[in-house]
């Protein structure tokens, strides 16, 4: 019986389990067995695995996190450990390794292809949605919805107390979450690293909100720009004589990354998983699943290396047009 290996690697996100289920069930459908390694690359090195069958992925579609667990594995930087991982994979007679991960994980897996000729297939996930080469990565939609629900609640207090409120969202070096959350919550100001806004413009917008008797403003801040604490301190100091009240802040943090995936993430994760296995069945090698202009397609794994995706300036302009 043909066998494939499967890992989830890097930060967890909602939709990983839906994708695991899709890979396992599609493989099962075509008579292939799935070996799930535990804790990503760590499981490959330590030969820690479990056989995943149709039944073992029952009831996980709606669950956040990953049943395979995930971890950062610095040892994978060393050739010796990669060799060990490859030997473990080969001893199990595994034909290809499926990696549900981000571009860092894809790069790690790519080394197994380059050094040992292993067939490696990447399925993109990250709440940041910044993997180069694909317009969608599993987890993003849920993160945006999680953040939106939290900000809607914060907005009640912000409006009732006529405050200025900074909400920091995740995204590492990119602004996709902030951009969509800003639009979905009607944020007065959205700050993202790709299109920086000078401090004096932020101040002008805050004063404008106050002057137009709106009385309140939500600033959605991508973590890649600054910390909310830092920005609140700076703005409180600079606006202390302007009668805007105390500027408060909230860091949303891991609330964005957990919980049950949205319908969109469940569906995308399922489609990505089925597509990956079917392309592999057709004989395609060393590719990543990508989403482009409404279509799922395959691209060389290397396309995602060394750069991240940048939001379209038009998306950013929409936020400006609709806010202050
Ligand atoms: O890449 C996903 C992400 O949640 C980023 O938005 C965030 O900056 C980072 O991971 C946090 O990673 P960790 O949990 O490993 O500190």
């Amino acid at each position: 019986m043909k066998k494939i290996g499967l890992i989830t690697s890097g930060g967890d996100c909602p939709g990983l389990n839906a994708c695991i289920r899709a890979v396992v069930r599609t493989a099962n459908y075509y008579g292939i067995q799935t070996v799930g390694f535990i804790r990503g690359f760590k499981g490959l090195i330590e030969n820690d695995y479990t056989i995943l069958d149709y039944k073992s992925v029952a009831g996980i579609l709606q669950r956040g996190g990953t049943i395979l667990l995930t971890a950062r594995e610095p040892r994978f930087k060393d050739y010796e450990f990669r060799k060990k991982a490859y030997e473990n994979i080969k001893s199990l007679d595994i034909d290809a390794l499926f990696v549900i991960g981000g571009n860092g994980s894809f790069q790690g897996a790519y080394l197994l292809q380059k050094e040992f000729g292993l067939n490696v297939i990447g399925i993109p996930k990250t709440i940041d949605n910044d993997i180069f080469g694909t317009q969608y990565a599993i987890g993003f939609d849920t993160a945006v919805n999680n953040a939106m629900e939290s900000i809607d609640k914060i907005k009640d207090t912000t409006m009732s107390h006529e405050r200025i409120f900074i909400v920091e969202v995740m995204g590492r070096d990119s602004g996709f979450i902030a951009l969509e959350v800003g639009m979905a919550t009607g944020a007065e100001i959205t700050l993202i690293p790709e299109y920086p806004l000078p401090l004096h413009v932020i101040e002008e917008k805050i004063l404008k909100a106050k002057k137009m008797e709106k009385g309140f403003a939500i600033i959605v801040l991508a973590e890649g720009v600054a910390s909310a604490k830092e920005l609140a301190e700076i703005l409180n100091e600079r606006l202390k004589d302007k009668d805007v009240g105390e500027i408060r802040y909230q860091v949303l943090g891991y609330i964005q990354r957990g919980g049950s995936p949205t319908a969109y993430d469940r569906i995308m994760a399922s489609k990505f998983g089925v597509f990956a296995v079917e392309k592999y069945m057709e004989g395609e090698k060393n590719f990543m699943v990508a989403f482009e202009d409404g279509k799922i397609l395959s691209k060389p794994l290397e396309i995602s290396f060394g750069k991240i995706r940048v939001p379209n300036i038009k998306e950013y302009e929409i936020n400006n047009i609709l806010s202050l």
Side-chain angles (χ1 to χ4, degrees):
M1 190 187 213
K2 220 169 180 178
K3 281 190 207 164
I4 56 170
L6 175 65
I7 58 170
T8 49
S9 173
D12 75 314
C13 70
L16 290 177
N17 285 326
C19 193
I20 292 171
R21 172 181 174 271
V23 169
V24 171
R25 292 218 166 150
T26 313
N28 188 75
Y29 181 82
Y30 290 108
I32 301 166
Q33 189 177 61
T34 308
V35 180
F37 288 90
I38 312 299
R39 298 183 191 87
F41 292 111
K42 195 172 161 60
L44 292 178
I45 292 171
E46 293 171 4
N47 211 20
D48 189 4
Y49 65 87
T50 178
I51 303 296
L52 295 167
D53 61 13
Y54 191 89
K55 223 175 78 206
S56 56
V57 293
I60 65 167
L61 173 67
Q62 76 286 359
R63 279 170 52 193
T66 162
I67 59 160
L68 285 178
L69 309 182
T70 185
R72 306 222 182 276
E73 182 44 274
R75 287 182 297 172
F76 216 71
K77 291 197 178 98
D78 297 345
Y79 175 81
E80 279 317 302
F81 287 102
R82 291 199 295 274
K83 190 157 170 272
K84 194 159 193 322
Y86 176 70
E87 282 164 2
N88 289 335
I89 291 168
K90 273 294 122 186
S91 71
L92 288 163
D93 215 15
I94 288 169
D95 184 55
L97 178 68
F98 287 64
V99 179
I100 312 174
N103 51 9
S105 307
F106 291 174
Q107 285 182 58
Y110 177 73
L111 292 174
L112 292 177
Q113 185 242 306
K114 239 177 91 183
E115 292 166 350
F116 310 104
L118 182 72
N119 185 7
V120 170
I121 292 147
I123 304 178
K125 68 87 209 162
T126 166
I127 62 162
D128 304 343
N129 204 20
D130 61 353
I131 300 175
F132 196 86
T134 179
Q135 291 166 351
Y136 196 73
I138 298 166
F140 176 66
D141 186 63
T142 310
V144 168
N145 277 283
N146 285 344
M148 180 190 74
E149 283 165 18
S150 302
I151 295 177
D152 284 348
K153 291 178 181 128
I154 291 170
K155 196 164 174 170
D156 289 344
T157 305
T158 306
M159 290 179 74
S160 303
H161 288 263
E162 298 174 284
R163 275 184 186 147
I164 309 296
F165 218 108
I166 302 170
V167 185
E168 181 186 315
V169 297
M170 278 185 165
R172 208 187 293 268
D173 301 317
S174 76
F176 286 100
I177 296 178
L179 207 53
E180 294 221 343
V181 168
M183 213 182 298
T185 59
E188 278 63 33
I189 304 170
T190 302
L191 301 174
I192 61 171
E194 294 87 348
Y195 303 110
L197 215 55
L199 261 181
H200 72 91
V201 179
I202 302 172
E203 284 170 26
E204 280 160 22
K205 283 176 180 273
I206 291 173
L207 295 173
K208 192 172 160 196
K210 284 285 175 186
K211 207 163 102 205
M212 65 185 1
E213 287 173 17
K214 197 170 176 181
F216 72 92
I218 297 259
I219 302 173
V220 171
L221 169 71
E223 65 174 335
V225 174
S227 80
K229 183 173 186 286
E230 203 176 23
L231 185 64
E233 277 166 10
I234 293 169
L235 289 174
N236 273 319
E237 178 57 28
R238 287 171 68 122
L239 294 170
K240 63 174 184 269
D241 303 323
K242 303 283 189 198
D243 197 27
V244 297
E246 189 195 347
I247 299 173
R248 301 273 177 102
Y249 71 90
Q250 180 78 51
V251 180
L252 292 189
Y254 289 94
I255 282 167
Q256 295 158 94
R257 222 166 85 177
S260 183
T262 57
Y264 189 75
D265 264 325
R266 295 179 197 195
I267 292 163
M268 290 303 278
S270 300
K271 287 184 175 174
F272 279 11
V274 174
F275 179 89
V277 176
E278 289 194 331
K279 274 277 153 200
Y280 159 73
M281 293 292 297
E282 286 167 20
E284 195 156 328
K285 288 189 160 134
N286 307 310
F287 66 90
M288 70 174 255
V289 176
F291 186 68
E292 209 165 77
D293 302 330
K295 287 202 181 72
I296 299 174
L297 36 101
S298 64
K299 290 189 179 181
L301 206 56
E302 309 92 283
I303 216 152
S304 65
F305 299 173
K307 44 191 182 276
I308 57 171
R309 207 162 70 85
V310 172
N312 193 311
I313 183 92
K314 186 66 201 160
E315 295 275 303
Y316 183 63
E317 281 168 8
I318 291 174
N319 270 10
N320 285 337
I321 292 167
L322 297 178
S323 56
L324 284 171

